[in-house]
């Protein structure tokens, strides 16, 4: 089992059109590095200098990581992570 | 003839050409219009502005259109009222109300932004305009769009008060009442905006629409005799108006219309929806989204799109954020009406009540010049005042009854 990551439409070009992909557990930032190893280019779109970009929201099981431990929030196997552009539609 | 060079991402600075787009495709930041201020400085000055019609288009070089204004030719240039009675009541010397309870045609500042948005929509060649709204914006898009001959789709939460539905429906738009709250309506509209080639004023036209708010600030400066005030108090929903009022002062400074700019900007919110004020009070720029619960429904955005930028403006200018309870909002509405004869909607009650607090706690000095932005008309939110008003004196039609009432008055 791994972490399930939901990919927003504008980033699906990088994930071969997949809406949902898998990544390995760890912290949020580790998980993003792992995603980038599988789907090159995704990290620079959603982070800048190790921080999640201001207009990108990341939810772990529907909770905004800004109100958990930010980039250092642990992500476990079986968790569902959603990457949601804040103003580009599909707000939670 | 336009002075807009393009659009630019506020976050990563990537540039785009002028199109009906609103978000950076690289980093998802919001796009903003970029102007050629050197060119504007050569074409716009006080004298030229003074020669023009008294509407919001007298500052058209600083608005994001390419051709001539097409919509809202009677909108804007509302009174800046020196509120001496209110000032006396609050214990300050100089207080003004920027009175957007009387914007043509639908009595809120939204007529400004929609005038610009629909002009731009026509320039882009759209034949259909749309919006998600809880009231004022629905009214304005319905009315301005009717006159401009545009097809209109207006999306509202189905629970909206009957009086607000009437004030939109009378202009015969396609009114879509969605079973859900404002956030649900907004989310649906984002999906619709992706699929249909419509001008959603607060989605794909947002970079242009939002610029219309600057006209409120330009007018304040002009009406103060080409001076920026010491303080300006602005109600916050998405936070966009606050950032644009500040931008308007900065632009007038940039093109030399004013020489001095030391204004402090204050953010006014209701306690039941205070994400911007709360961030300011805890000295952070991280906005914590919340579920709104306040009578100030036109300010009830729990996850404000421009919240971060509004917080930055307030911090940069040395202002602060303040919040008030529903009862304080009602008292604010009544105070403004009783002292100045201006009937504001609940958002105006927020601004007045917040100003009172800011004066009491010393954030606004007693000798400062302060402008408070009252952005919508009280006739739209009368239900908020149920049970809070004086009672009429009911009498039979004879002199005796009248004089009996009279003897009890004073």
């Amino acid at each position: 089992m791994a972490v399930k990551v939901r990919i927003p439409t504008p980033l699906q070009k990088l994930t071969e059109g997949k809406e949902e992909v898998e990544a390995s557990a760890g912290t949020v930032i580790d998980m993003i590095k792992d995603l980038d190893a599988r789907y090159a280019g995704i990290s620079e779109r959603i982070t800048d200098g190790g921080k999640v970009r201001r207009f990108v929201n990341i939810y772990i099981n529907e909770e905004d990581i800004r109100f958990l431990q930010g980039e250092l929030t642990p992500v476990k196997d079986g968790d569902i992570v959603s990457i949601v552009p804040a103003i580009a539609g599909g707000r939670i | 003839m336009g002075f807009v060079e393009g659009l630019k991402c506020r976050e990563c600075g990537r540039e785009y050409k002028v199109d009906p787009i609103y978000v950076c495709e690289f980093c998802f930041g919001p796009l903003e219009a970029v102007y050629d201020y050197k060119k504007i400085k050569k074409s716009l000055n006080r004298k030229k502005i003074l020669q023009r019609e008294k509407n919001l288009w007298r500052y058209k070089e600083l608005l994001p259109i390419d051709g001539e204004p097409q919509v809202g030719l009677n909108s804007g240039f509302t009174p800046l009222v020196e509120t001496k009675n209110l000032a006396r009541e609050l214990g300050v010397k100089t207080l003004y109300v920027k009175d957007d309870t009387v914007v043509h045609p639908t009595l809120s500042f939204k007529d400004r932004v929609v005038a610009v948005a629909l002009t731009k929509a026509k320039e882009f060649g759209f034949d259909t305009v749309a919006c998600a709204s809880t009231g004022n914006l629905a009214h304005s898009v319905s009315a301005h769009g009717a006159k401009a001959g545009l097809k209109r789709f207006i999306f509202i939460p189905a629970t909206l008060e009957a009086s607000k539905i009437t004030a939109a429906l009378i202009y015969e738009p396609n009114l879509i009442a969605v079973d859900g709250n404002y956030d649900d309506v907004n989310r649906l509209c984002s999906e619709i905006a992706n699929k249909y080639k419509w001008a959603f004023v607060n989605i794909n036209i947002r970079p242009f629409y939002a610029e219309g708010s600057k006209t409120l600030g330009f007018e304040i400066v002009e009406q103060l005799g080409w001076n920026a005030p010491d303080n300006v108090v602005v109600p916050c929903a998405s936070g966009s108006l606050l950032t644009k009022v500040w931008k308007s002062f900065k632009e007038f400074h940039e093109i030399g219309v004013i020489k001095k700019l030391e204004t402090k900007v204050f953010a006014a919110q209701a306690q039941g929806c205070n994400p911007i004020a709360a961030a300011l009070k805890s000295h952070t720029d991280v906005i914590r989204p919340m579920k709104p619960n306040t009578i100030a429904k036109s300010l009830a955005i729990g996850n404000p799109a421009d919240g971060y930028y509004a917080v930055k403006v307030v911090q940069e200018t040395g202002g602060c954020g303040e919040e008030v309870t529903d009862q304080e909002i009602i008292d604010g509405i009544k105070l403004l009406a009783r002292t100045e004869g201006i009937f504001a909607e609940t958002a105006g009650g927020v601004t007045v009540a917040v100003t009172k607090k800011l004066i009491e706690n010393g954030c606004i000095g007693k000798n400062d010049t302060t402008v408070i932005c009252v952005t919508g008309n009280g006739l739209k939110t009368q239900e908020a005042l149920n049970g809070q008003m004086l009672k009429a004196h009911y009498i039979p039609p004879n002199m005796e009854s009248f004089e009996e009432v009279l003897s009890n008055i004073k």
Side-chain angles (χ1 to χ4, degrees):
Chain A
M1 210 164 69
V3 179
K4 284 198 163 76
V5 187
R6 292 186 182 147
I7 305 294
T9 318
L11 292 179
Q12 288 171 14
K13 274 181 225 155
L14 299 172
T15 59
E16 298 144 14
K18 287 183 214 158
E19 283 175 33
E20 192 174 285
V21 301
E22 292 195 337
S24 53
T27 62
V28 168
I29 204 76
D30 294 338
M31 183 206 75
I32 292 171
K33 278 182 197 151
D34 180 59
L35 267 184
D36 197 63
R38 299 171 196 225
Y39 305 103
I42 205 162
S43 175
E44 65 165 352
R45 300 289 299 278
I46 59 176
T47 64
D48 183 23
K51 290 276 179 196
V52 173
R53 289 185 184 276
R54 193 174 344 271
F55 289 89
V56 174
N57 296 334
I58 296 188
Y59 301 88
I60 300 177
N61 304 326
E62 316 232 319
E63 182 71 35
D64 189 332
I65 61 159
R66 288 191 181 94
F67 305 112
L68 299 168
Q69 296 156 54
E71 289 79 4
L72 299 177
T73 309
V75 190
K76 304 183 305 293
D77 284 341
D79 281 349
I80 296 175
V81 175
S82 303
I83 300 172
V84 182
I87 54 174
R91 255 186 278 184
I92 288 199
Chain B
M1 67 143 270
F3 294 86
V4 173
E5 295 180 314
L7 299 175
K8 190 174 178 181
C9 174
R10 292 194 71 164
E11 288 294 309
C12 73
R14 272 180 177 69
E15 292 177 9
Y16 297 84
K17 68 181 180 69
V18 171
D19 266 325
I21 52 174
Y22 63 109
V23 64
C24 174
E25 51 183 51
F26 183 78
C27 81
F28 309 108
L31 302 183
E32 190 174 36
V34 180
Y35 297 84
D36 183 343
Y37 290 118
K38 277 193 191 131
K39 210 166 123 195
I40 294 174
K41 195 171 180 170
K42 283 183 201 142
S43 348
L44 190 65
N45 52 46
R46 292 180 186 181
K47 201 176 147 202
K48 197 153 176 191
I49 293 169
L50 287 169
Q51 286 164 352
R52 290 182 176 161
E53 297 276 325
K54 288 190 169 168
N55 63 53
L56 61 85
W57 293 109
R58 62 206 259 117
Y59 318 100
K60 63 182 178 183
E61 286 83 350
L62 289 162
L63 293 170
I65 59 167
D66 291 328
E68 286 301 313
Q70 301 185 54
V71 180
L73 304 184
N74 296 297
S75 299
F77 219 80
T78 55
L80 183 73
V81 181
E82 182 167 9
T83 49
K84 290 185 175 165
N85 300 333
L86 181 62
R88 202 175 309 121
E89 188 105 3
L90 298 181
V92 291
K93 217 169 109 198
T94 315
L95 192 62
Y96 292 87
V97 164
K98 180 57 177 164
D99 188 4
D100 263 12
T101 66
V102 291
V103 193
H104 185 83
T106 67
L107 311 178
S108 91
F109 92 103
K110 292 292 183 189
D111 287 329
R112 300 175 180 277
V113 283
V114 174
V116 176
L118 298 200
T119 296
K120 196 68 205 173
K122 291 195 112 178
E123 284 185 0
F124 281 134
F126 287 104
D127 65 0
T128 304
V129 294
C131 69
S133 170
T134 57
N136 287 329
L137 182 59
H139 303 158
S140 189
V141 173
S142 300
H144 271 319
K147 184 163 172 63
L150 292 158
K151 282 181 234 161
R152 293 145 293 150
F153 281 85
I154 311 294
F155 297 81
I156 57 166
T159 51
L160 206 61
E161 299 89 331
S163 61
K164 289 189 183 162
I165 292 179
T166 303
L169 267 182
I170 188 63
Y171 308 105
E172 300 187 355
N174 300 292
L175 189 71
I176 316 292
V178 180
D179 182 15
N181 63 23
Y182 177 68
D183 288 326
D184 298 321
V185 178
N186 225 351
R187 195 180 319 129
L188 173 65
C189 284
S190 295
E191 286 175 39
I192 296 171
N194 282 335
K195 184 161 177 186
Y196 293 87
K197 298 265 172 280
W198 295 347
F200 267 89
V201 300
N202 52 344
I203 303 178
N204 54 343
I205 306 298
R206 190 174 180 87
F208 311 94
Y209 157 92
E211 289 287 284
S213 293
K214 293 189 306 192
T215 59
L216 186 128
F218 295 143
E219 290 172 15
I220 289 173
V221 169
E222 180 179 344
Q223 291 168 318
L224 283 175
W226 306 107
N227 288 300
D230 297 319
N231 309 300
V232 62
V233 186
V234 189
C236 289
S238 73
S240 173
L241 175 65
L242 183 145
T243 64
K244 296 300 179 178
V245 167
W246 175 238
K247 187 178 180 188
S248 72
F249 294 173
K250 279 204 306 191
E251 286 182 337
F252 263 1
H253 191 248
E254 167 98 30
I255 66 164
V257 165
I258 52 171
K259 295 282 172 280
K260 201 181 95 182
L261 177 56
E262 291 167 5
T263 306
K264 290 181 184 170
V265 183
F266 295 87
Q269 291 206 295
Q271 203 171 70
C273 184
N274 65 345
I276 293 171
L280 283 163
K281 283 191 169 184
S282 46
H283 305 285
T284 167
D285 57 24
V286 180
I287 302 285
R288 182 183 276 272
M290 61 182 301
K291 274 218 161 69
N293 178 20
T294 168
I295 56 166
K297 290 183 185 160
S298 61
L299 301 183
I301 298 183
N303 193 3
D306 288 290
Y308 167 77
Y309 300 117
V311 164
K312 285 289 165 200
V313 165
V314 172
Q315 288 171 341
E316 247 176 64
T317 61
C320 65
E322 193 51 84
E323 62 202 39
V324 286
T325 63
D326 282 356
Q327 188 58 51
E328 288 172 314
I329 294 169
I330 288 164
D331 294 344
I333 295 173
K334 291 167 74 176
L335 176 64
L336 183 62
R338 188 175 72 232
T339 56
E340 295 294 339
I342 296 170
F343 185 16
E345 64 157 19
T346 43
V350 170
T351 317
V352 171
V354 160
T355 304
K356 182 169 184 276
K357 260 192 172 172
L358 292 170
I359 292 167
E360 283 165 2
N361 65 23
C363 292
I364 287 182
K366 298 208 181 308
N367 295 313
D368 292 353
T369 296
T370 301
V371 174
I372 70 180
C373 299
V374 171
T375 52
N377 196 298
L379 294 172
K380 297 195 185 203
T381 57
Q382 293 183 54
E383 70 289 339
L385 296 167
N386 286 344
Q388 299 274 347
M389 310 278 288
L390 292 181
K391 298 276 183 296
H393 303 280
Y394 291 93
I395 58 168
N398 60 63
M399 185 59 83
E400 202 176 75
S401 309
F402 171 66
E403 288 183 336
E404 193 188 322
V405 166
L406 194 59
S407 68
N408 291 321
I409 290 177
K410 284 177 204 175

